Amino acid sequence: MGWFDHTRKTAAPDESGRPVVKRPASALWGDGFGRLATRSVQVIAILIVVIGVVFVITQLTLVFIPLSIALILAAAFHPLMHWMRRKGLPSAIATWIALLAIVVVLGGVGYLIYVAVRNQLDELIDSAAQGIDHLYDWFLTLPFDISEEQISGFRDSAVDFLTSSQFGSGALAGVGAASNFLVGLFFMIVVLFYFLKDGPRIWEFLLRPFEGQQYARARRIGDKAVDTLGGYVRGTAAVAAVDAIGIGIVLFALQVPLALPLAVIVFVLAFIPLVGATLAGALAVLVALVANDPITAVWVLVAVVGVNQLEGNFLQPILMGRSLKLHPLVILVALTAGTILGGIVGAVLSVPIAAVAWGVISVWNGEHEPAWPAKQKRPEPQ
């Protein structure tokens, strides 16, 4: 007699003489449908929690976005901070050195972009107007059914926009939420300072409720998250620098206007996986087309394709192989969801967050022991 036999209740026999067994209500949750219902309730509960967290994040973007950027930068500079501490440099001095380096680099890049745009904007507007005229003449030679009036209307609208005061003011000083940006920037710098200075102590304080196996798991998850974030940022920055330098050299050689800002845009957009490099390359080709001529645009396109091939086949596997072990489909889904929820910032942050989530799962039960649902249990096709 098993334990299950004691849970059965036998009623009076039916007309055929066979006893009728009544199953208790708790046994209904033990069969296949019961387990499926239990899992469904659990999934729904998890989804409700996730939706609630996402809603809170979207309402507190002024806190969440600077906090996330500060955490990512702190993880990227963690090896430098560890090296300076190991050399005997006081933590406060090491923090100021790292923080000033970040501010100088970012501020210098922003100043160079501003100077280049200010000095070459008028030239770009004039070149763009001439390029639109060239495109107008070229469109007239196409065998498509496009009337000359339609092309003229589009050309006049484009030229009027490029030469209007709204375009110039928007390109140089179009900041819709300057106060929020400054508040977020100040908050990010302050948080970054404390992350750099007291990051290990802050994490150890957060781990006070845990002990034993739970403490070991939490320490393992924290170390993996920092390694993943830092490796992602450093690898992406290296790949983006190669892209920007390669395309920038071609733009300078071909005398394309705004070559420096375009190279910086290539660097920034490279932090958006899959689509960032394509968007930056398309922008560079478009500027070369309207500001120079179609031949120059073709050469820029060749350079963009060549740099992207170098990135995809050589740089990404070497520099990003260990930090970003995500399938392209997962990257695309995370990128789309991040863009919908947070715009450009969401697109930049979504992939490293997904990489950290997978990294946490991969060390959940040990250094090389992922959580049971993610553990490979049989040979899988390559």
Side-chain angles (χ1 to χ4, degrees):
M1 298 289 290
W3 68 270
F4 183 76
D5 296 325
H6 295 285
T7 64
R8 294 186 301 179
K9 295 181 179 179
T10 303
D14 58 8
E15 297 179 354
S16 61
R18 291 177 298 181
V20 177
V21 179
K22 294 183 178 180
R23 299 178 62 187
S26 59
L28 296 176
W29 297 95
D31 58 7
F33 287 107
R35 289 191 295 270
L36 177 61
T38 302
R39 292 292 181 263
S40 300
V41 172
Q42 293 172 343
V43 170
I44 293 173
I46 293 174
L47 289 177
I48 292 175
V49 173
V50 171
I51 292 173
V53 171
V54 171
F55 176 77
V56 172
I57 290 175
T58 55
Q59 299 302 311
L60 299 176
T61 53
L62 192 59
V63 175
F64 176 75
I65 292 177
L67 189 66
S68 301
I69 295 175
L71 180 61
I72 292 175
L73 291 176
F77 281 85
H78 175 70
L80 176 62
M81 293 294 300
H82 182 70
W83 178 81
M84 288 190 291
R85 289 192 183 101
R86 195 172 64 245
K87 294 298 182 180
L89 202 63
S91 181
I93 297 178
T95 301
W96 279 112
I97 292 175
L99 188 62
L100 289 176
I102 296 173
V103 172
V104 168
V105 171
L106 296 181
V109 171
Y111 178 76
L112 290 176
I113 294 175
Y114 169 75
V115 171
V117 172
R118 184 190 62 186
N119 294 337
Q120 300 183 25
L121 183 61
D122 294 336
E123 176 187 353
L124 178 62
I125 292 175
D126 295 338
S127 300
Q130 297 175 6
I132 291 174
D133 290 334
H134 291 310
L135 287 176
Y136 169 75
D137 296 334
W138 179 70
F139 271 116
L140 290 177
T141 62
L142 294 176
F144 302 144
D145 187 16
I146 302 177
S147 65
E148 185 174 351
E149 291 76 11
Q150 291 175 325
I151 301 177
S152 299
F154 173 76
R155 180 193 64 177
D156 295 340
S157 300
V159 172
D160 291 341
F161 172 72
L162 290 173
T163 56
S164 64
S165 59
Q166 289 86 352
F167 176 78
S169 61
L172 292 177
V175 181
S179 59
N180 288 341
F181 173 78
L182 293 177
V183 171
L185 179 63
F186 177 77
F187 178 67
M188 187 270 292
I189 293 176
V190 173
V191 173
L192 176 60
F193 174 82
Y194 286 109
F195 277 170
L196 291 173
K197 180 177 179 294
D198 301 323
R201 294 173 55 190
I202 293 174
W203 182 240
E204 194 63 36
F205 173 79
L206 295 176
L207 297 183
R208 285 186 178 181
F210 303 100
E211 60 182 5
Q213 184 66 26
Q214 292 181 340
Y215 173 79
R217 173 177 291 169
R219 288 283 303 180
R220 191 167 58 245
I221 288 174
D223 294 341
K224 184 64 176 180
V226 172
D227 291 342
T228 302
L229 277 179
Y232 174 82
V233 175
R234 292 188 295 270
T236 303
V239 172
V242 173
D243 291 350
I245 292 173
I247 296 177
I249 291 174
V250 174
L251 295 176
F252 276 111
L254 297 175
Q255 297 182 350
V256 177
L258 298 178
L260 178 60
L262 287 174
V264 175
I265 290 174
V266 170
F267 177 83
V268 173
L269 290 182
F271 282 85
I272 304 177
L274 298 182
V275 299
T278 302
L279 292 176
L283 179 61
V285 172
L286 180 60
V287 172
L289 178 63
V290 299
N292 293 78
D293 51 70
I295 302 300
T296 303
V298 170
W299 281 113
V300 173
L301 177 61
V302 172
V304 169
V305 172
V307 170
N308 287 340
Q309 289 297 317
L310 175 65
E311 171 193 334
N313 297 325
F314 180 72
L315 296 178
Q316 286 278 5
I318 293 178
L319 298 177
M320 303 289 294
R322 293 189 299 174
S323 60
L324 190 62
K325 297 181 179 179
L326 298 176
H327 192 276
L329 180 60
V330 177
I331 296 177
L332 182 60
V333 172
L335 188 62
T336 304
T339 304
I340 294 174
L341 295 175
I344 296 177
V345 178
V348 174
L349 296 179
S350 59
V351 176
I353 291 175
V356 169
W358 174 248
V360 169
I361 293 174
S362 65
V363 297
W364 187 259
N365 290 327
E367 189 65 29
H368 302 287
E369 288 289 331
W372 183 85
K375 187 175 182 180
Q376 183 176 348
K377 304 172 183 63
R378 64 192 66 85
E380 298 178 357
Q382 301 295 326

